[in-house]
Amino acid sequence: MAEPKIAHFILAAGASSRMGTPKQLLPWFKDTLITYEISKSIQLKNVKTYVILGANYEIIDKEIKDFAVTIIYNNNWQLGMGTSIRCGVQYILKEDKKFDAILITLVDQPMIDLIHLNELLLKWSTRSQSIIATKMEKGKGVPAIFPSSYFKDLLKLKNDYGARYLIKQYEDQVVSIAANAKTDDIDTIDQYKSLLEKVNMTTKQSK
């Protein structure tokens, strides 16, 4: 029996308008935010990595083109996150790879670690018809895994709707896993500096 195949979409198409600089390329220890996400993804078993870009495509593409990933350009990125998800689903359906599920993550959640991603994958392996989402302080969201039975729904997402919309719509079919305060995202320079400081402090305390 063939191993399940999962497409991992790293959503990284935003313009970082509140940041003033492409957040995808902000330093994160020895990496940048985007190369850090890629480095986690390529360690996952039975997963193929797709990075969905939009704003600042050319400079980001130069940074990641040598990684073992497929880069997808979303030319409608300005219209919202839903367009990036739709773009990714359309791409893999055109490739006809017959993936069993899609894992969706964001480039600006660097606290989400390999442990949590593997927990989601492990839960999905036993509940393969369910949406496996991340439990957050308020509700449930990404990272999340959507089985192939939801691909059509992902294709119908409105431009400015992210995966959380579907998670809420199909709440009775969602299994959630706590991320233990790892779901902080980065929208501003102050948030970035604060999160970096928080991680540095945690690292020092653990030594």
Side-chain angles (χ1 to χ4, degrees):
M1 185 176 176
E3 290 283 0
K5 291 181 294 186
I6 296 175
H8 177 194
F9 293 173
I10 299 175
L11 304 186
S16 314
S17 54
R18 283 190 280 170
M19 187 72 66
T21 187
K23 73 170 77 172
Q24 299 91 331
L25 301 180
L26 287 172
W28 191 257
F29 299 100
K30 295 179 181 179
D31 296 291
T32 58
L33 286 180
I34 194 162
T35 57
Y36 184 62
E37 289 306 305
I38 290 170
S39 69
K40 286 183 285 187
S41 181
I42 59 181
Q43 293 179 69
L44 299 171
K45 292 183 178 179
N46 307 313
V47 168
K48 182 173 171 57
T49 308
Y50 295 84
V51 182
I52 303 175
L53 299 180
N56 304 298
Y57 171 81
E58 291 183 359
I59 58 172
I60 299 169
D61 177 67
K62 286 178 184 176
E63 292 291 317
I64 66 173
K65 64 182 180 181
D66 293 329
F67 286 89
V69 302
T70 298
I71 300 168
I72 303 171
Y73 175 62
N74 172 21
N75 58 12
N76 292 313
W77 63 266
Q78 303 99 323
L79 300 178
M81 191 178 292
T83 66
S84 284
I85 295 171
R86 293 203 314 261
C87 182
V89 177
Q90 288 165 356
Y91 188 95
I92 64 169
L93 291 178
K94 191 175 179 181
E95 268 195 323
D96 198 27
K97 294 284 188 184
K98 304 205 184 311
F99 286 105
D100 297 317
I102 293 170
L103 166 64
I104 296 176
T105 65
L106 305 178
V107 74
D108 61 359
Q109 285 183 315
M111 298 284 282
I112 295 290
D113 54 20
L114 200 56
I115 293 171
H116 183 67
L117 295 178
N118 275 315
E119 285 177 346
L120 294 173
L121 292 170
L122 182 62
K123 178 59 71 174
W124 179 77
S125 71
T126 63
R127 297 286 300 270
S128 61
Q129 298 308 308
S130 300
I131 296 171
I132 313 298
T134 296
K135 190 182 294 181
M136 314 179 89
E137 284 186 20
K138 296 180 180 178
K140 306 176 183 96
V142 295
I145 299 174
F146 293 86
S148 57
S149 55
Y150 292 91
F151 288 5
K152 287 183 180 178
D153 292 289
L154 291 170
L155 283 171
K156 294 175 184 175
L157 277 177
K158 293 182 180 179
N159 291 345
D160 55 350
Y161 281 19
R164 192 181 290 196
Y165 173 80
L166 275 190
I167 292 169
K168 189 173 182 180
Q169 182 181 350
Y170 293 107
E171 193 166 1
D172 60 337
Q173 298 168 52
V174 174
V175 176
S176 62
I177 296 177
N180 301 319
K182 297 175 185 174
T183 59
D184 293 357
D185 59 7
I186 297 169
D187 287 317
T188 67
I189 285 291
D190 285 342
Q191 287 175 342
Y192 164 67
K193 289 177 179 177
S194 175
L195 200 56
L196 200 54
E197 189 176 323
K198 179 179 174 181
V199 175
N200 272 320
M201 194 174 295
T202 304
T203 304
K204 286 176 183 177
Q205 289 172 350
S206 64
K207 287 183 178 179

